[in-house]
Amino acid sequence: MHDTIDTEMPARPIFDYTTTGMVPTAKPRPLPLEVLLLIIDELGADREYDALEAWAEASEGLLQERAYRYIPREIVFGTQEEAASINLAFRWKGPQAVRIEGGARTSERRLPIPHLATFASRLAGKWTNVRELTIEGAEWRMQDLDLHTILLDVGCFDRVLYLQLHRVTLPTVLTLWRLVHGLPSLHELSLRDVEFAKTAINDRMLSALCLLPSTLNTIYMLRPEERAVERPGFLGIGSAGLLQAIVVRSMTSLNVSPWCKVSRLELWDVTFPTAAAFGRLLCAVPTLKELAILGPCSFSEHVLDPRDVPVIPCRLRELELGEDFSAHSDPRSVHDLVNLFIQSGAGSCLKSLTVWPSPSFRVATSTDVSLARLIACAGQSLQSLELYAVLQDSLRLYNETRIYAEQSSVRCFDISANTHLERLTCVTNISHEDNSPIAAVTELLQQVASVRISEIDMTFRVRDEAELATLWNGLPQLDAALSKKVFDRLERAWIRLYGVEASHELPQASVRSYLPKLETRGILRIAVKDRIIRYDTH
């Protein structure tokens, strides 16, 4: 039972009477704070969100905080009854986010979602605040959802910027396409474990593909959940790259690419017959500026005929190849991918590059050799380079990756050709088993040939006191390397320590004492964290 407000007449009058000249005036006495809070609690219990919003806008302090506490940012609908229970008498414009759930997040089951139609039909044109729509753990069945009607209703949520489909089974690819097309303000599309009951792509379907919203600029194809198991008869986004194939095939049927406004593409994996086929995908996204491949790369054939290499528009400016890309990709496919970037001309236009080399920061594997070639190819175009050392327990060493170990283990990544570099980031591990664990970082700094460099960001992961002591012994080398004339324009030098007691002031004082030249210049910045962070650039 909810608390009630005492409605008895107060013992003292609500109004104080004062006299201004000859005319008496009444000044309202404010209610006690406790009473006002009880009123807000009653409004919250009754889900009168429009009144709560008005109250929050007109108040401040504790009253405003209590009112906002009752206004949900996200509302989840798991049944038709929940969608039908929303009181339409309220003038509330809705939450920022709506989630339509089929199966629970912890369940493998994907359940029907007829409540999507109930939600859309009842609240279309009323909940105009909704910016994010998520459908999760769901099976979209044609008998539950009339495609034409529901798309008309969903299209009324014309301020939705973000659409997320996680563990969702759709009837066809065309269903997904029309759903995306029906949101006129959509900016970002996020897909994880999306499957289709019918996977055939024919000319009739391709002819129905129209241009996507002109606002859509980012597509994420996220890493499949660990528990996700592929089911017979279904085709998942991450496992077979169905949408990637559609992009390429649609180019043969449409005069203008339906993806002509997409500027960022984030892929979990890249699975294609050849690197040239993947290149045609990039050509189908002519405005692409940012590309991230976070997971494994695999091509069925490893012959890259220069005549088959498409000319990729040199609008691609940022490329990120993630940890799982380096640790789990087929080395021959990495070699082909780098050749694609080099031969197509896209590699020489990059301004920002993020890669994960071997833990030693040395060219120790064939994957490292390919990454080193890509860095060199970027040349003077490259302005920002980020090197994140793969954690040792994540590195999957293939037999092919060992062939370069003996002859290249002493060679560091060469960045001397990147003469317009402005920012360099290095994240590496400290091991007391190595006599000079930061020698590779120092060697890298000694190769810097860009007088434009203004920021150096170095992160060191340590696990115990012995590794920390080893780090102290190597810091003077960094101080000497960063005192070269090429670093005269350096504005910030970050030293970040992970795995060190954060509340202890000794680490920061020690860092400063071992780097006196940087300390004197006033450009040293220090950050200390008490746990090792497994770097994820996302």
Side-chain angles (χ1 to χ4, degrees), residues 195-210:
E195 298 176 343
F196 303 95
K198 296 180 180 179
T199 60
I201 307 172
N202 51 40
D203 293 337
R204 181 180 178 183
M205 180 180 295
L206 287 174
S207 65
L209 301 182
C210 49

Side-chain angles (χ1 to χ4, degrees), residues 38-339:
L38 284 175
I39 294 174
I40 293 176
D41 290 341
E42 285 293 318
L43 293 174
D46 292 337
R47 298 191 298 182
E48 297 191 36
Y49 302 131
D50 54 339
L52 288 166
E53 280 189 343
W55 195 295
E57 292 173 359
S59 60
E60 59 184 13
L62 182 60
L63 294 177
Q64 186 180 68
E65 179 183 343
R66 180 70 67 90
Y68 275 131
R69 186 186 306 172
Y70 284 108
I71 303 173
R73 181 196 175 277
E74 179 183 70
I75 289 184
V76 179
F77 295 111
T79 64
Q80 284 184 288
E81 290 74 21
E82 290 175 351
S85 68
I86 297 297
N87 191 338
L88 299 182
F90 297 149
R91 292 174 295 176
W92 187 46
K93 295 181 180 180
Q96 295 181 36
V98 170
R99 182 183 299 270
I100 306 296
E101 287 189 346
R105 299 183 190 182
T106 57
S107 171
E108 291 292 342
R109 297 186 63 191
R110 302 184 183 188
L111 302 179
I113 48 169
H115 40 292
L116 173 61
T118 306
F119 154 75
S121 62
R122 297 192 75 240
L123 297 170
K126 300 180 177 66
W127 276 12
T128 56
N129 275 344
V130 178
R131 299 293 188 271
E132 181 179 320
L133 175 61
T134 300
I135 304 177
E136 183 176 75
E139 182 176 358
W140 181 312
R141 302 191 310 183
M142 297 305 294
Q143 61 265 39
D144 298 323
L145 302 170
D146 177 75
L147 184 60
H148 179 71
T149 301
I150 196 170
L151 290 181
L152 287 176
D153 291 334
V154 171
C156 293
F157 294 89
D158 56 2
R159 294 188 180 182
V160 171
L161 303 177
Y162 312 102
L163 174 62
Q164 302 182 83
L165 303 180
H166 297 172
R167 294 189 298 113
V168 175
T169 299
L170 299 170
T172 66
V173 173
L174 192 57
T175 308
L176 172 61
W177 199 279
R178 286 177 171 169
L179 175 62
V180 173
H181 181 266
L183 297 169
S185 300
L186 191 65
H187 282 189
E188 295 185 4
L189 173 63
S190 175
L191 306 172
R192 186 197 303 272
D193 293 331
V194 175
E195 298 176 343
F196 303 95
K198 296 180 180 179
T199 60
I201 307 172
N202 51 40
D203 293 337
R204 181 180 178 183
M205 180 180 295
L206 287 174
S207 65
L209 301 182
C210 49
L211 293 180
L212 295 175
S214 61
T215 56
L216 181 62
N217 54 39
T218 303
I219 299 178
Y220 299 98
M221 296 185 185
L222 303 178
R223 178 176 187 168
E225 296 183 1
E226 296 296 336
R227 64 176 179 274
V229 178
E230 297 215 9
R231 297 179 289 170
F234 294 88
L235 194 55
I237 291 289
S239 62
L242 179 60
L243 284 189
Q244 301 172 10
I246 292 174
V247 172
V248 177
R249 289 191 58 182
S250 65
M251 289 299 295
T252 63
S253 303
L254 301 173
N255 293 327
V256 181
S257 168
W259 310 82
C260 62
K261 298 297 182 180
V262 174
S263 61
R264 176 171 176 81
L265 188 59
E266 183 175 307
L267 308 175
W268 163 245
D269 61 356
V270 168
T271 305
F272 274 86
T274 64
F278 179 63
R280 287 190 286 273
L281 163 66
L282 300 182
C283 290
V285 192
T287 57
L288 187 65
K289 295 180 180 178
E290 303 173 27
L291 173 65
I293 305 174
L294 304 181
C297 172
S298 177
F299 301 126
S300 304
E301 301 176 12
H302 302 289
V303 177
L304 186 62
D305 190 333
R307 294 171 297 180
D308 295 334
V309 175
V311 179
I312 300 174
C314 285
R315 295 186 179 90
L316 184 63
R317 293 293 181 264
E318 298 183 19
L319 176 62
E320 177 183 350
L321 304 175
E323 181 181 21
D324 283 291
F325 173 89
S326 292
H328 302 298
S329 290
D330 168 25
R332 293 173 298 174
S333 297
V334 175
H335 175 81
D336 293 343
L337 182 68
V338 170
N339 278 346

Side-chain angles (χ1 to χ4, degrees), residues 348 350-351 376-383 417-421 452:
S348 59
L350 296 174
K351 293 187 177 300
C377 173
Q380 295 184 4
S381 175
L382 197 64
Q383 297 175 358
N418 309 119
T419 55
H420 287 63
L421 203 62
R452 301 185 180 188

Side-chain angles (χ1 to χ4, degrees), residues 407-456:
Q407 59 185 343
S408 302
S409 59
V410 297
R411 182 159 59 92
C412 185
F413 278 84
D414 186 359
I415 60 174
S416 59
N418 309 119
T419 55
H420 287 63
L421 203 62
E422 297 176 1
R423 186 174 187 274
L424 176 63
T425 298
C426 303
V427 180
T428 189
N429 310 302
I430 295 298
S431 173
H432 53 77
E433 299 173 355
D434 190 339
N435 294 330
S436 184
I438 62 175
V441 177
T442 304
E443 185 178 345
L444 193 70
L445 295 176
Q446 291 172 344
Q447 296 176 12
V448 172
S450 172
V451 296
R452 301 185 180 188
I453 197 158
S454 61
E455 183 170 347
I456 297 287

